[in-house]
């Protein structure tokens, strides 16, 4: 016998334990955050390519800019 056994059927236990912890409508900025994440990924890839193949100084600046975009996205996620 499992410690969390109740008289409920097993199907109901599965549906109640898999509910989301987020409130409905709490992801109003999800689209904006997704755009920021895409910009971050593209800038990071471009920065690494520029760093390796062309100029390390410019590549470093591009990677730092991508990290700034990621920090903005992270702050939006934390402050919501």
């Amino acid at each position: 016998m499992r410690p969390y056994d109740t008289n409920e059927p097993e199907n109901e236990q599965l549906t109640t334990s898999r509910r989301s912890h987020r409130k409905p409508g709490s992801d109003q900025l999800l689209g904006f955050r997704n755009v920021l994440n895409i910009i971050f990924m593209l800038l990071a890839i471009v920065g690494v390519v520029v760093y390796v193949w062309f100029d390390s100084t410019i590549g470093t600046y591009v990677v730092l800019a991508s990290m700034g975009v990621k920090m903005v996205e992270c702050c939006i996620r934390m402050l919501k």
Side-chain angles (χ1 to χ4, degrees):
M1 189 164 166
R2 293 175 279 182
Y4 54 87
D5 248 353
T6 62
N7 292 334
E8 297 177 37
E10 193 169 327
N11 290 348
E12 289 183 50
Q13 285 180 350
L14 289 177
T15 56
T16 57
S17 66
R18 291 185 184 171
R19 288 188 182 158
S20 176
H21 295 283
R22 295 182 179 177
K23 297 176 187 174
S26 65
D27 283 338
Q28 297 169 354
L29 296 173
L30 182 63
F32 182 63
R33 286 181 34 221
N34 285 340
V35 170
L36 287 176
N37 277 326
I38 291 170
I39 292 171
F40 159 71
M41 288 185 278
L42 291 176
L43 279 175
I45 292 169
V46 168
V48 169
V49 167
V50 169
Y51 183 87
V52 171
W53 286 343
F54 299 108
D55 186 16
S56 62
T57 306
I58 295 173
T60 302
Y61 290 142
V62 174
V63 170
L64 287 174
S66 72
M67 291 173 63
V69 171
K70 186 62 179 179
M71 283 186 208
V72 169
E73 187 272 332
C74 211
C75 288
I76 290 172
R77 185 178 353 140
M78 295 295 177
L79 294 176
K80 75 168 190 164

